[in-house]
Amino acid sequence: MFKKAVLPLLVSAGLLASAPFAQAATNLVFCSEGSPAGFDPGQYTTGTDFDASAETLYNRLSQFERGGTAVIPGLATSWDISDDGLTYTFHLREGVKFHTTPYFTPTRTFNADDVLFTFNRMIDKDMPFRKAYPTEFPYFTDMGMDTNITKVEKVDDKTVKFTLKTVDAAFIQNLAMSFASIQSAEYADKLLKEGKASDINQKPIGTGPFVFKSYQKDSNIRYTGNKDYWKPEDVKIDNLIFAITTDPSVRIQKLKKNECQVTLFPRPADLKALKEDKTLKMPEQAGFNLGYIAYNVMPVLKGRTDANPLADLKVRQALDMAVNKPQIIDSVYQGAGQLAVNAMPPTQWSYDTTIKDAKYDPEKAKELLKEAGIKEGTQITLWAMPVQRPYNPNAKLMAEMLQSDWAKIGLKVNIVSYEWGEYIKRSKGGENQAMIIGWSGDNGDPDNWLGTLFGCDAMNGNNFSKWCDKPYDALIKQAKATSDVAKRTELYKQAQHILKDAVPMTPIAHSTVFQPMRANVQDFKISPFGLNSFYGVSIGK
């Protein structure tokens, strides 16, 4: 529990209303790094959105163990898989309650109808709710699940059957991911009747450990502990507040003053002082992540009429070999980064250790640009992320260093940026040229890297390079359609070579993840997937 002296500070900061529970409640403030675009996890792909929705408000049929990659039961207590690997039958948990809020009171507990609504909305564009609130589900479609799930059937109130077109070796892991969070069909029906279908994204209802209370963009999100949670031992906080704080130095100041108890993404320069502060603790672990540069390979970029030089392989090769990776890792990651060579981290099974980087060679890069007909002084744009992520502690500095590297080979680089939600939206739309981005693994499967980021199905989603190579795509789809790990490994290794040769991206680094928090925060687990979960977390004296 907080010391009494802390609470007036929180109140004055506007994070808590003058609440009557103030003296007795257990409160935890999380200094987050950005505003979520919404609270419907199916619509989004970033950790900022998932932290604010999937990790707090929702559950999934299967789920990952807290702080790990193992899949355990969630809203399904068990599942059966047919011998041919095409049918999955889920047995649903009894007595799970959806949230009661000022805007919705459920009349029944969770059942098969909720599962059908959740997935049919993502599959069927003609579904009434989807037509009333037209939106896309990029993660679901990036992974080809919209075409591979042929039907979702209600066997009875507590049993649901999924039928697949082809084997998906990672299907159970995929259903444990944030985008597969289960929505309330009853709430959706209410919104549809009221003509307010879009409220599903602003006034969320889930079964998760916390209940949505309010959201003020760029300021705070407030939740209350779910007293009716189906796993009551996981709810140890009465009030959870996300204090949205984009400046990393301000986040650390708030943490030191106990204005927040957990934060994220400290600047490398702050690590030493944080480790020495006795009022804090800072667990760390090797990041299951990748920071990289994506090159948009489309001949003409959206919104422009001139030719895109990055469509030429020689230009991408030149950009790639002109990047001084060791210098970037030294300056940006400051000892907390490992040089990246492939499109996934070396801890991911099927990683091909035989693949090597092109040698750093600015002179050779100049020759390649000349061969490609690129004149000295040609302008390109480099998009720089406005936020810190687990895979990149300082995108602005990285952009400036890349600008300098590419100036040495005769290019004029203009750095641009947008608010995080806009950055992702515009780049998914194909407006970007070269861009700094990255990824934290979501489910421990190679497809989550090679398919989700570079597959043809992901062209309108997380494939920011807009690169679609048919032989590559055939390999990753073949790998996904077999459960033989040895066969999958061989296919993924072949795919990694094609990807490396085509240069739709330059891998930069895998970073170590640090999670600063107050010393009295108990049982917080660092997620290998770069998410922040507060169920099971408590505040000690």
Side-chain angles (χ1 to χ4, degrees):
M1 186 173 288
F2 284 156
K3 295 176 181 177
K4 289 184 180 179
V6 177
L7 200 58
L9 181 60
L10 294 174
V11 175
S12 65
L15 300 178
L16 288 170
S18 52
F21 52 69
Q23 297 302 316
T26 300
N27 309 297
L28 188 147
V29 180
F30 169 54
C31 278
S32 62
E33 88 291 7
S35 295
F39 295 89
D40 176 6
Q43 293 190 44
Y44 304 111
T45 61
T46 78
T48 302
D49 299 303
F50 293 153
D51 283 352
S53 59
E55 293 302 301
T56 49
L57 302 168
Y58 296 97
N59 296 118
R60 290 147 291 284
L61 293 177
S62 55
Q63 62 189 42
F64 294 107
E65 65 178 0
R66 201 159 58 94
T69 60
V71 177
I72 59 176
L75 292 180
T77 56
S78 63
W79 45 84
D80 307 313
I81 307 172
S82 62
D83 290 340
D84 63 5
L86 296 176
T87 303
Y88 288 74
T89 304
F90 291 88
H91 306 284
L92 307 183
R93 193 175 295 277
E94 300 271 359
V96 175
K97 295 180 181 180
F98 278 97
H99 299 156
T100 296
T101 69
Y103 51 87
F104 179 66
T105 301
T107 64
R108 63 164 175 80
T109 56
F110 158 72
N111 67 26
D113 293 333
D114 304 307
V115 180
L116 265 63
F117 167 75
T118 297
F119 289 94
N120 285 334
R121 181 171 68 118
M122 294 192 279
I123 294 169
D124 183 7
K125 292 187 177 182
D126 292 323
M127 180 186 179
F129 193 93
R130 178 82 172 266
K131 292 179 82 171
Y133 178 39
T135 187
E136 298 302 320
F137 300 94
Y139 223 138
F140 191 70
T141 53
D142 282 4
M143 300 171 76
M145 294 181 78
D146 56 329
T147 55
N148 198 38
I149 298 174
T150 59
K151 57 184 172 181
V152 187
E153 299 172 274
K154 176 181 177 179
V155 179
D156 56 45
D157 270 358
K158 293 300 173 187
T159 313
V160 175
K161 185 165 69 173
F162 287 74
T163 303
L164 308 184
K165 187 184 297 182
T166 59
V167 172
D168 181 348
F171 189 65
I172 294 297
Q173 289 97 316
N174 293 343
L175 292 190
M177 292 165 61
S178 298
F179 73 88
S181 295
I182 301 298
Q183 299 276 2
S184 165
E186 184 184 18
Y187 180 49
D189 286 343
K190 174 180 181 288
L191 294 177
L192 195 58
K193 288 172 185 173
E194 295 173 350
K196 298 178 178 178
S198 63
D199 276 4
I200 200 168
N201 193 31
Q202 302 301 325
K203 296 180 177 180
I205 293 291
T207 59
F210 297 94
V211 180
F212 179 79
K213 193 171 182 183
S214 66
Y215 170 45
Q216 186 176 346
K217 185 176 169 60
D218 298 330
S219 177
N220 64 82
I221 317 169
R222 292 162 53 190
Y223 311 86
T224 57
N226 182 4
K227 301 303 183 187
D228 293 320
Y229 193 48
W230 54 270
K231 197 175 179 186
E233 65 273 17
D234 274 355
V235 183
K236 299 176 180 179
I237 299 167
D238 296 307
N239 300 287
L240 173 64
I241 304 97
F242 279 32
I244 299 164
T245 313
T246 57
D247 188 319
S249 62
V250 176
R251 288 200 297 270
I252 295 305
Q253 289 169 18
K254 286 185 175 183
L255 182 71
K256 289 181 175 180
K257 293 177 181 177
N258 202 20
E259 291 180 28
C260 60
Q261 288 69 55
V262 180
T263 190
L264 71 181
F265 314 147
R267 297 177 303 180
D270 293 331
L271 293 176
K272 185 174 183 294
L274 287 170
K275 289 178 180 178
E276 292 172 351
D277 191 328
K278 300 301 182 186
T279 67
L280 307 176
K281 58 185 175 183
M282 193 166 58
E284 64 179 81
Q285 68 182 33
F288 192 55
N289 59 42
L290 170 69
Y292 65 97
I293 309 162
Y295 303 119
N296 190 331
V297 304
M298 298 301 289
V300 178
L301 302 179
K302 183 179 177 182
R304 293 173 62 167
T305 56
D306 56 324
N308 174 25
L310 274 62
D312 190 319
L313 173 60
K314 287 183 178 179
V315 175
R316 300 196 301 275
Q317 288 173 327
L319 292 173
D320 179 74
M321 67 177 60
V323 175
N324 190 334
K325 286 191 195 180
Q327 195 173 72
I328 287 175
I329 291 170
D330 185 52
S331 299
V332 175
Y333 294 86
Q334 296 189 22
Q338 173 188 352
L339 188 141
V341 176
N342 281 359
M344 56 188 186
T347 49
Q348 173 65 67
W349 63 267
S350 81
Y351 180 93
D352 193 329
T353 57
T354 67
I355 292 176
K356 306 299 180 188
D357 260 344
K359 183 184 175 185
Y360 172 64
D361 193 340
E363 293 306 315
K364 173 67 175 174
K366 286 181 185 177
E367 292 176 19
L368 286 170
L369 289 179
K370 189 174 181 180
E371 289 173 20
I374 304 299
K375 296 179 181 178
E376 188 166 343
T378 294
Q379 296 190 26
I380 64 170
T381 58
L382 172 63
W383 288 28
M385 300 188 307
V387 298
Q388 285 180 291
R389 300 300 302 152
Y391 47 75
N392 192 325
N394 193 337
K396 182 177 182 292
L397 175 58
M398 183 183 289
E400 290 165 353
M401 296 184 74
L402 291 171
Q403 184 182 48
S404 174
D405 284 343
W406 291 340
K408 291 171 186 172
I409 60 172
L411 296 174
K412 180 172 172 41
V413 179
N414 301 311
I415 299 172
V416 299
S417 192
Y418 298 93
E419 180 272 330
W420 181 229
E422 192 71 11
Y423 187 86
I424 295 297
K425 180 182 176 182
R426 285 174 177 263
S427 51
K428 284 182 177 178
E431 296 180 32
N432 59 293
Q433 196 165 34
M435 72 179 290
I436 295 173
I437 193 66
W439 193 250
S440 292
D442 279 321
N443 66 6
D445 193 87
D447 182 73
N448 187 238
W449 302 90
L450 301 181
T452 301
L453 302 182
F454 302 102
C456 295
D457 289 337
M459 284 278 284
N460 295 316
N462 290 308
N463 185 343
F464 298 114
S465 303
K466 308 303 176 190
W467 177 73
C468 175
D469 182 272
K470 297 301 182 184
Y472 172 90
D473 214 54
L475 284 170
I476 62 171
K477 284 182 173 171
Q478 187 182 346
K480 194 177 177 184
T482 177
S483 55
D484 186 315
V485 174
K487 287 182 182 176
R488 294 188 77 199
T489 297
E490 180 53 39
L491 292 165
Y492 284 131
K493 284 186 174 182
Q494 292 177 44
Q496 287 170 69
H497 280 275
I498 293 175
L499 181 67
K500 191 68 175 177
D501 291 343
V503 201
M505 54 87 76
T506 293
I508 300 292
H510 312 290
S511 69
T512 303
V513 176
F514 297 91
Q515 190 93 41
M517 64 189 71
R518 301 293 299 181
N520 62 342
V521 175
Q522 298 177 354
D523 210 25
F524 184 98
K525 306 282 188 185
I526 295 179
S527 163
F529 307 131
L531 300 173
N532 293 277
S533 307
F534 294 94
Y535 62 94
V537 178
S538 62
I539 297 287
K541 293 182 180 180

